[in-house]
Amino acid sequence: MKPVINKTLSISVFSGKGGVGKSSLCANLGFCLSEIGARCLLMDCDLGLANLDVLLGVTTGANLYDLLRADTDAQNIILPIAKGLDLIPAASGIPELVEMDEDQRALLLEKLQPLLKTYDFLILDMAAGLNPTVLSLAHATFKRILVLTPEPTSLTDAYAMVKVLSSKNKKRDFLILVNQVQNREEAQNTFARLDNAVSKFLGFHLVYLGMVREDDNMGLAVLRQQALIQIAPQSMAAKDIKNIAQRIHTLRTALLPELSGMPVLKNF
Ligand SMILES: Nc1ncnc2c1ncn2[C@@H]1O[C@H](COP(=O)(O)OP(=O)(O)OP(=O)(O)O)[C@@H](O)[C@H]1O
Ligand SMILES: [Mg+2]
């Protein structure tokens, strides 16, 4: 039998502090990637407070947890959002993924993997802070994006996340996205402060992925339950997100040889 070659880049998007823009960024990155021709699947992993469906203005039916039922397969829980963009919604109040026993998690992955392989990107929108789900899913994806803002508390919480993930999961490859900045200088200063602390106390360097400027259109998009890219494609934040999507697209191309033969999500 011909081996199945995986070409899907899985990325978890997380933060220390809440409300820094993860879900808005995931939704818009998904749109941008699909606009440049990539097939993208968003997975809402904020099991406590699912909100990608609300941000994208879609009504959800089945969710991840329904996959544990014999009569539900992965196709049943996918919601089409746009051409090349799909969503797996979460649902508030469902048990933590890691509270499932090993057999349940294995069943979930077994049902998801064939479907995940049909996408170029799998983007996981996580809950803020550290919980067991975040820890295990951050480990399961091929790449990790850490979102922070220039606020001092966001910076210290981001450092705490890097510290725990690097010691527990032995991960050292963090892509840093600085959101809600006034300009490039503020983004680079914020990155430098975090990177200096990480290199001094943890002994490795972070990778700067990019910045997204503070933009009132972002709030407007949330109110309208539409992606910023749709309602204000020429806005500052939309332009910044497009740049980041392009970078992620290029990154996947560079990683293709490494992705071959790897599962989209490692056992978690
Ligand atoms: N670049 C930006 N400019 C202005 N407002 C922004 C920007 N990015 C995000 N926001 C606003 O910040 C708020 C929080 O965004 P969002 O829900 O995406 O954050 P989150 O990190 O997913 O939050 P949580 O930790 O609760 O999951 C929203 O009202 C959103 O409109
Ligand atoms: Mg969120």
Side-chain angles (χ1 to χ4, degrees):
M1 212 170 75
K2 237 174 110 185
V4 182
I5 301 188
N6 166 39
K7 294 284 171 66
T8 315
L9 176 59
S10 57
I11 306 173
S12 47
V13 178
F14 60 94
S15 71
K17 192 172 181 292
V20 295
K22 295 176 295 299
S23 301
S24 311
L25 293 168
C26 284
N28 284 291
L29 281 173
F31 266 95
C32 292
L33 288 167
S34 65
E35 273 176 10
I36 50 180
R39 271 176 56 73
C40 185
L41 177 64
L42 297 171
M43 196 161 142
D44 196 337
C45 297
D46 191 348
L47 301 175
L49 208 72
N51 63 6
L52 268 183
D53 51 332
V54 179
L55 280 180
L56 292 165
V58 291
T59 316
T60 64
N63 61 59
L64 260 188
Y65 198 62
D66 292 308
L67 278 187
L68 296 177
R69 296 206 321 258
D71 61 346
T72 310
D73 62 24
Q75 279 299 347
N76 301 126
I77 62 166
I78 297 274
L79 279 175
I81 302 293
K83 188 171 177 288
L85 179 64
D86 291 336
L87 168 70
I88 294 188
S92 301
I94 72 168
E96 291 277 312
L97 280 177
V98 282
E99 277 174 18
M100 296 179 191
D101 63 32
E102 214 171 296
D103 287 348
Q104 288 177 313
R105 291 212 297 267
L107 175 65
L108 205 83
L109 268 186
E110 189 188 308
K111 284 194 172 180
L112 280 174
Q113 294 283 19
L115 180 96
L116 301 183
K117 284 189 189 126
T118 65
Y119 293 89
D120 300 314
F121 292 92
L122 170 66
I123 299 182
L124 273 57
D125 178 24
M126 321 276 268
L130 273 169
N131 68 32
T133 312
V134 170
L135 269 179
S136 57
L137 286 176
H139 180 65
T141 53
F142 202 81
K143 286 284 168 191
R144 281 143 288 281
I145 294 179
L146 173 60
V147 181
L148 78 159
T149 67
E151 269 184 78
T153 48
S154 170
L155 200 76
T156 47
D157 289 357
Y159 174 78
M161 288 298 284
V162 173
K163 187 174 174 188
V164 173
L165 284 172
S166 61
S167 70
K168 283 216 184 236
N169 287 350
K170 307 275 173 277
K171 295 295 178 202
R172 293 188 150 206
D173 56 336
F174 297 93
L175 303 170
I176 307 300
L177 198 170
V178 194
N179 190 21
Q180 299 183 32
V181 297
Q182 298 310 314
N183 50 43
R184 188 172 305 277
E185 198 187 357
E186 186 177 37
Q188 283 169 347
N189 285 342
T190 305
F191 171 78
R193 285 170 66 189
L194 181 61
D195 188 50
N196 286 342
V198 169
S199 68
K200 184 168 173 196
F201 298 111
L202 306 176
F204 61 94
H205 280 284
L206 303 167
V207 176
Y208 180 69
L209 178 65
M211 57 136 195
V212 177
R213 281 167 289 181
E214 171 127 55
D215 188 333
D216 289 344
N217 289 296
M218 202 70 135
L220 206 65
V222 175
L223 284 177
R224 292 211 199 151
Q225 291 189 278
Q226 277 182 302
L228 171 77
I229 301 298
Q230 288 174 301
I231 67 156
Q234 298 305 325
S235 60
M236 286 183 313
K239 284 184 185 154
D240 295 339
I241 295 172
K242 281 180 197 168
N243 279 336
I244 291 174
Q246 199 61 56
R247 243 166 260 163
I248 294 174
H249 197 265
T250 308
L251 175 70
R252 173 176 173 271
T253 309
L255 287 173
L256 279 177
E258 274 183 66
L259 289 175
S260 296
M262 297 282 283
V264 181
L265 284 178
K266 277 185 266 165
N267 280 335
F268 57 91

